[in-house]
Amino acid sequence: MTSDIAAILAIDGIATGAVYALVAIGTVLIFTVTRVIFIPFGDIAAFTALTLAALDAKRFPGTGALVVILACLATLIEIISLMRSGELRLLPRALSFYLLLPLAVVGAAWLVMRLDPPLAVRLVLALMLITPISPLLDRIVFRPIADGTVLLLLTVSVALHFALVGLGLLFFGPEGVRTEPLTSLSTEFAGVLISGQTMLIVIAALVFSGLLYLFFDFTLVGKSLRATAVNRTGSRLMGIRPARAGTIAYLLGSLMAGVSGILIAPVNTVFYDSGFLIGLKAFVGAIVGGMTSYPGAAIGAVGVGILESFASFESSALKDVIVFSLLIPILIWRSLASLHSEEEIEE
Amino acid sequence: MSEMLSMTDVTVCYDNVEAVRNVSLSVEEGQIVTVIGPNGAGKTTLLMAAIGLLASRGRMVFQGHDIGRMSVEDRVERRLCLVPEKRELFSDMTVADNLLLGSYSLRDRTGVQKTLDEVYDRFPRLKERQRQAAGTLSGGERQMLALGRALMAKPKLLMLDEPSLGLAPLIVREIFRTIASLRDLGVSILLVEQNARAALETADYGYVLETGEVVQSGPAKDLIHDPRLITAYLGGH
């Protein structure tokens, strides 16, 4: 391997890693706030790519129908749980949040789509359509078992992923998509050609991680999310509702996953089931950060991207084997480095 | 004086075992009420039920509202606050952030900075350490932070679980001085303590809890001279 090829592979790896980093940061965010290892994150990224492709093709994406169905289900569950707890006075708020808001988003997207909007607007539409999915899934699937063990939540999360893959096939069909590049610019750095898309990916990852950092450090809501992650009982005693913190975490996490889906769509062909590998590789990155550290997760995810890039050069067929084999030494190292298991920390 | 909190026949069960049985107590506005008793008497359980972290049977009224089925967060929004025995600080976060989060439940954010200044005036040590992570503080400083964080919520009734636990005698005295001074601010206090003497010296009224039941109650100044309590809890002289 010459240094030129190594440089190209490294740049490619950093770009892929940056996409994983966004998903990994979202994974850590949701895990620390809700203790759920949200496996379907990769699916959310893939669905965003599919949504954008449908919008590009002037078709209304299946995401709309998916959001409407999930919103109806979530509302039904919310009504039943309010009736059980005798708190029907909260019904208007529940209806506006779980039914009207998602329906308004889908309705607005449908109307705007008729106007044949430019790419920038289509990007916003895709993100708008995708962000309600995780908070709605949270309400339907995870809220009723929020006090369960991490293992139970993980098992349900894996099951949810498979359910989503099925729904993906139903709503988006089996065809793979590749969206048009967001930019056709390119530049040369130290003799290596770097495409605009690659730069965009890295910049977007940096910008969104930076925004998240500012959110956590400078806003009360951001701090309340960190507090929920650090000490659940303590935060409840401050009046911070874990369910609300969870919803915000899911909203932010899906936004990150959505952005990564948009960034990866012009580079890789995305199918309804492509999300699993994206999510799993981001998960490996998140594990490097011990599932609790954002910089750790980002560094881990970029590491996974670079490793994958070099691995696919050496042996394309074995690249996933190489990447996932990395998990074994990392897990050994992490279990030696920390004396407590996640369950013990929870207690 | 109006009634701040009243519990009537409150029972709390842990796996079919009644940890607290038919307890009735009340806290008047501006009063310090203490619950004393041996380890395992159900004192902490009673406070956990009062804040809503444990389910209970019986009637619980706070400022005229039935709070028995309310969530913890709803009770906190009504300014019923608990400083738990374990403090439950946000150890990775700074002292300043811990205090700020104490005010999370306040809808009206205009007075937050003023309350923060008041807390720093009360506990200058916290101001010196405001940029430090809560986890790096000493035991006494942690208790100050837990108290200060609760004060940020402008509580109407502050429930304190063993505030003197594990602290040096000098700091214990400081903490009790602070508790006494809170009454002057109009904060009512429900104080659970194993340090019965210090608690009764500070409080207006006291309840003695043994194996989950109230066995005695009365004005604190009477309880402190009660021969039975003196032998059992007050060091026998």
Side-chain angles (χ1 to χ4, degrees):
Chain A
M1 188 190 300
T2 64
S3 61
D4 274 5
I5 294 174
I8 291 169
L9 289 176
I11 289 163
D12 201 38
I14 289 170
T16 320
V19 171
Y20 296 155
L22 286 174
V23 181
I25 288 170
T27 306
V28 171
L29 172 66
I30 306 245
F31 176 69
T32 52
V33 175
T34 68
R35 305 178 307 133
V36 174
I37 296 171
F38 197 62
I39 303 290
F41 246 152
D43 300 315
I44 301 291
F47 286 5
T48 317
L50 292 162
T51 304
L52 182 61
L55 288 171
D56 284 350
K58 301 190 180 16
R59 274 185 290 113
F60 193 66
T63 333
L66 183 61
V67 169
V68 170
I69 291 171
L70 290 177
C72 293
L73 259 176
T75 309
L76 191 68
I77 290 175
E78 183 70 14
I79 290 173
I80 292 171
S81 92
L82 286 179
M83 273 164 62
R84 274 197 190 150
S85 62
E87 290 190 297
L88 278 174
R89 63 188 170 85
L90 297 175
L91 193 62
R93 199 161 71 181
L95 282 182
S96 55
F97 186 77
Y98 289 109
L99 193 64
L100 296 182
L101 195 61
L103 292 189
V105 165
V106 174
W110 189 77
L111 284 177
V112 174
M113 217 205 96
R114 322 250 102 197
L115 303 172
D116 200 5
L119 179 63
V121 177
R122 292 202 299 273
L123 293 179
V124 175
L125 284 184
L127 285 176
M128 267 171 56
L129 282 169
I130 215 74
T131 35
I133 293 179
S134 310
L136 289 172
L137 287 173
D138 169 46
R139 180 64 196 92
I140 298 167
V141 179
F142 292 110
R143 196 79 63 78
I145 52 166
D147 294 325
T149 60
V150 172
L151 184 63
L152 171 75
L153 295 170
L154 173 63
T155 313
V156 172
S157 180
V158 173
L160 179 62
H161 154 72
F162 285 113
L164 273 184
V165 170
L167 288 174
L169 181 60
L170 189 68
F171 285 101
F172 297 105
E175 303 85 19
V177 297
R178 190 183 275 238
T179 57
E180 56 185 283
L182 300 175
T183 167
S184 52
L185 296 172
S186 64
T187 183
E188 214 183 278
F189 179 75
V192 182
L193 192 72
I194 304 175
S195 75
Q197 184 68 26
T198 303
M199 285 192 294
L200 204 63
I201 289 174
V202 175
I203 291 168
L206 288 174
V207 167
F208 276 91
S209 322
L211 285 176
L212 199 66
Y213 172 78
L214 293 177
F215 169 73
F216 279 136
D217 254 36
F218 293 100
T219 68
L220 187 64
V221 179
K223 285 174 185 181
S224 75
L225 253 62
R226 275 170 63 202
T228 307
V230 175
N231 185 337
R232 231 175 149 71
T233 309
S235 61
R236 293 195 69 192
L237 291 174
M238 304 298 107
I240 301 165
R241 290 163 207 276
R244 191 173 297 169
T247 303
I248 297 169
Y250 276 108
L251 274 173
L252 282 174
S254 350
L255 196 63
M256 306 283 276
V259 170
S260 66
I262 285 176
L263 292 171
I264 210 165
V267 186
N268 288 15
T269 305
V270 177
F271 295 87
Y272 70 96
D273 63 350
S274 298
F276 189 52
L277 278 181
I278 302 173
L280 217 50
K281 282 168 188 166
F283 181 50
V284 175
I287 287 176
V288 174
M291 290 303 287
T292 52
S293 157
Y294 295 102
I299 291 167
V302 172
V304 169
I306 294 173
L307 182 73
E308 185 186 341
S309 170
F310 280 89
S312 59
F313 178 75
E314 292 299 333
S315 164
S316 183
L318 286 178
K319 70 170 187 175
D320 289 339
V321 176
I322 294 171
V323 169
F324 291 119
S325 305
L326 180 71
L327 251 183
I328 298 167
I330 290 172
L331 285 175
I332 292 173
W333 163 60
R334 290 242 53 120
S335 64
L336 291 176
S338 79
L339 295 170
H340 305 285
S341 74
E342 296 292 348
E343 286 290 333
E344 279 166 348
I345 291 168
E346 285 305 320
E347 293 311 316
Chain B
M1 255 193 291
S2 64
E3 197 164 51
M4 188 55 78
L5 174 75
S6 89
M7 295 190 189
T8 317
D9 292 330
V10 168
T11 297
V12 190
C13 294
Y14 274 124
D15 307 323
N16 295 328
V17 180
E18 290 183 341
V20 165
R21 203 165 33 250
N22 296 328
V23 167
S24 298
L25 66 77
S26 86
V27 184
E28 304 283 325
E29 194 179 335
Q31 224 183 12
I32 300 183
V33 172
T34 186
V35 178
I36 58 171
N39 226 343
K43 305 189 297 291
T44 296
T45 307
L46 188 66
L47 289 193
M48 298 284 259
I51 198 70
L53 283 171
L54 288 176
S56 61
R57 290 200 306 270
R59 205 170 141 72
M60 231 182 266
V61 176
F62 179 64
Q63 291 199 303
H65 297 278
D66 188 347
I67 56 167
R69 288 182 68 179
M70 266 184 204
S71 68
V72 180
E73 297 83 359
D74 284 336
R75 297 182 205 209
V76 174
E77 274 177 12
R78 290 181 182 272
R79 304 210 196 157
L80 172 64
C81 297
L82 169 70
V83 177
E85 189 182 324
K86 287 196 209 150
R87 328 291 199 232
E88 306 286 4
L89 297 173
F90 307 119
S91 48
D92 296 355
M93 302 175 75
T94 63
V95 168
D97 279 351
N98 269 271
L99 290 173
L100 183 68
L101 284 164
S103 70
Y104 181 87
S105 61
L106 296 179
R107 296 245 166 83
D108 177 14
R109 313 285 312 160
T110 48
V112 171
Q113 186 57 44
K114 188 168 159 274
T115 319
L116 184 65
D117 291 339
E118 283 165 11
V119 169
Y120 281 148
D121 284 346
R122 193 179 284 280
F123 304 111
R125 282 289 274 283
L126 295 183
K127 187 166 192 178
E128 286 165 29
R129 298 180 190 260
Q130 54 178 311
R131 299 266 151 254
Q132 222 170 297
T136 64
L137 299 181
S138 71
E141 289 163 348
R142 274 163 193 257
Q143 185 57 49
M144 288 176 200
L145 179 55
L147 260 175
R149 189 179 64 168
L151 290 177
M152 289 297 295
K154 297 191 164 197
K156 295 245 163 64
L157 174 64
L158 184 56
M159 301 190 287
L160 303 170
D161 194 358
E162 306 275 4
S164 74
L165 193 74
L167 300 182
L170 209 67
I171 297 165
V172 171
R173 232 172 296 159
E174 198 181 324
I175 295 283
F176 275 101
R177 250 203 312 273
T178 307
I179 293 169
S181 74
L182 289 178
R183 176 174 33 194
D184 304 334
L185 287 179
V187 182
S188 313
I189 288 167
L190 180 58
L191 170 68
V192 156
E193 258 297 338
Q194 275 203 65
N195 188 342
R197 181 170 291 281
L200 288 174
E201 279 169 359
T202 315
D204 302 298
Y205 200 89
Y207 292 86
V208 182
L209 201 65
E210 282 176 12
T211 56
E213 285 177 289
V214 172
V215 294
Q216 202 172 348
S217 67
K221 61 179 188 317
D222 295 345
L223 292 180
I224 210 164
H225 298 299
D226 186 284
R228 195 189 80 84
L229 290 186
I230 289 173
T231 21
Y233 303 116
L234 301 169
H237 53 84

